[in-house]
Amino acid sequence: MKTAPPADLVDGILRLKEKRNAVILAHNYQLGEVQDVADFTGDSLALTQKAAASDAEVIVFCGVHFMAETAAILAPTKKVLIPDLEAGCSLAATVDVSQLRDWKARHPNAVVVAYVNTTAAVKAESDYCCTSSNAVQVVESVPPDKEILFIPDMYLGRYVREKTKRTIHLWPGSCHVHFRIHDEDIEAQKKAHPGAELLVHPECGCLTSALKHADFVASTSGMIRRAAESPAREFLVATETGILHAMRRQNPDKVFLPVAESAECSFMKKITLEKVLWSLEDMKHRVTVPTETAAKARRAIDRMMAAAAG
Ligand code: 13P
Ligand code: SF4
């Protein structure tokens, strides 16, 4: 059984949050106690929207660096803080600006659709942004005569290609956590729990096999919503294990089993309650995006928002 975090730590965070006029946003993969102290939890898209809509002066982003950058792009007048600068993303690190420029030069008539798991500089070189919750809609909104360069996640890209039947070239990137969720894990767990509903994140390396069995493929928030709405009592969850916290808290009468116990993102887990407190105490670490980069990245994000709304 887990022990509760020290009350004075939580009190300290809440007190400083008030004093700084701050809002705490936490991604669905964060440590349970960090999710519990947050004002809002969600997937990449939901947190981005919360950041943009918030009237707080300070945003403490409990997630990874590209997410804080996206918040800084959408909320340029606010101070965006990340409690640990080492909270990176192995997937975002698979493509940089010069690699993308080279690839574009080899496909001069294609448009670039960039998964939100990219740096602001890479987004600035892209035509459209997308998240796991709207990638299919975004690709469908691209003019039909255009080929698409999809960066950086090849599994999500392959899934979208399958769904939309568009000509999509895939960047060979993947997330080290989801890459390790193998076909064999899915097969074994399905055999052991034949009645369980299988919820899958589209970044999973097992996606080909998962799609054979999958009951539901969605973003982290989509998976959490489905867990609450589904009549099933038992679920197999194919994504990072931090998501189990919200699923179990919201549905105490249901059983949630990770497809791979080892699927833990060490970058997400860099953020601890102590670091959230220090972040508010010392107003660190501020995440900013140069104005020109932010303006270009924003075009790609705005196109995503328009596609998702339409
Ligand atoms: P979501 O947008 O579905 O929360 O995914 C973000 C992410 O980093 C998945 O690994
Ligand atoms: Fe990046 Fe993978 Fe961690 Fe998501 S789970 S933040 S894609 S490294």
Side-chain angles (χ1 to χ4, degrees):
M1 188 161 147
K2 282 193 186 148
T3 47
D8 51 348
L9 189 51
V10 175
D11 286 351
I13 291 171
L14 298 179
R15 206 171 13 85
L16 275 172
K17 194 180 69 151
E18 188 93 2
K19 178 171 159 199
R20 302 288 192 203
N21 186 15
V23 66
I24 301 178
L25 306 180
H27 187 263
N28 293 320
Y29 294 161
Q30 288 287 290
L31 290 170
E33 60 259 35
V34 173
Q35 294 189 41
D36 291 344
V37 87
D39 296 288
F40 300 102
T41 55
D43 61 11
S44 311
L45 180 65
L47 294 181
T48 299
Q49 288 167 327
K50 286 288 176 204
S54 165
D55 51 15
E57 284 170 64
V58 176
I59 296 170
V60 181
F61 211 112
C62 302
V64 292
H65 196 266
F66 76 82
M67 296 179 179
E69 271 190 338
T70 311
I73 292 167
L74 291 175
T77 59
K78 297 180 178 119
K79 281 198 177 78
V80 178
L81 307 176
I82 189 161
D84 189 328
L85 274 176
E86 287 183 10
C89 170
S90 60
L91 174 58
T94 63
V95 60
D96 65 22
V97 172
S98 68
Q99 290 170 315
L100 178 55
R101 284 188 185 141
D102 284 353
W103 205 33
K104 281 166 67 170
R106 280 182 271 126
H107 297 273
N109 297 319
V111 301
V112 178
V113 177
Y115 189 31
V116 68
N117 296 40
T118 43
T119 62
V122 165
K123 284 186 185 76
E125 277 292 319
S126 305
D127 300 291
Y128 295 78
C129 184
C130 73
T131 74
S132 53
S133 61
N134 58 31
V136 170
Q137 277 167 290
V138 169
V139 164
E140 279 169 347
S141 78
V142 174
D145 58 316
K146 291 284 183 196
E147 291 191 357
I148 293 165
L149 304 181
F150 192 93
I151 56 168
D153 191 290
M154 61 177 170
Y155 296 112
L156 176 63
R158 205 185 281 168
Y159 172 70
V160 174
R161 185 163 68 188
E162 185 66 32
K163 288 271 165 198
T164 61
K165 308 293 180 212
R166 295 290 301 263
T167 303
I168 299 181
H169 303 280
L170 302 174
W171 185 257
S174 63
C175 147
H176 72 294
V177 178
H178 289 87
F179 180 73
R180 292 206 206 105
I181 303 179
H182 301 295
D183 294 355
E184 305 84 68
D185 297 322
I186 299 271
E187 304 283 347
Q189 295 277 23
K190 270 309 266 186
K191 209 174 263 172
H193 305 276
E197 187 170 307
L198 175 62
L199 309 178
V200 180
H201 193 279
E203 275 179 32
C204 281
C206 60
L207 200 60
T208 316
S209 158
L211 286 181
K212 261 199 298 184
H213 303 288
D215 297 291
F216 204 74
V217 179
S219 75
T220 53
S221 288
M223 292 168 78
I224 291 171
R225 270 195 301 276
R226 173 67 193 170
E229 287 163 6
S230 165
R233 312 311 300 163
E234 194 179 26
F235 297 83
L236 297 173
V237 182
T239 192
E240 209 271 354
T241 53
I243 197 171
L244 297 168
H245 179 74
M247 288 177 168
R248 288 175 177 153
R249 192 192 48 209
Q250 290 173 19
N251 309 279
D253 53 334
K254 296 182 179 178
V255 176
F256 298 95
L257 304 165
V259 166
E261 200 79 63
S262 59
E264 194 176 279
C265 176
S266 52
F267 297 112
M268 284 281 180
K269 269 51 180 186
K270 290 263 174 210
I271 313 290
T272 60
L273 277 186
E274 284 84 356
K275 289 179 193 167
V276 175
L277 181 80
W278 300 332
S279 178
L280 282 161
E281 244 167 27
D282 302 335
M283 295 298 280
K284 66 181 188 190
H285 303 272
R286 180 131 189 223
V287 176
T288 55
V289 177
T291 317
E292 205 183 316
T293 307
K296 287 190 190 157
R298 179 135 199 172
R299 279 193 323 221
I301 297 169
D302 286 347
R303 285 195 191 117
M304 164 180 82
M305 297 297 197

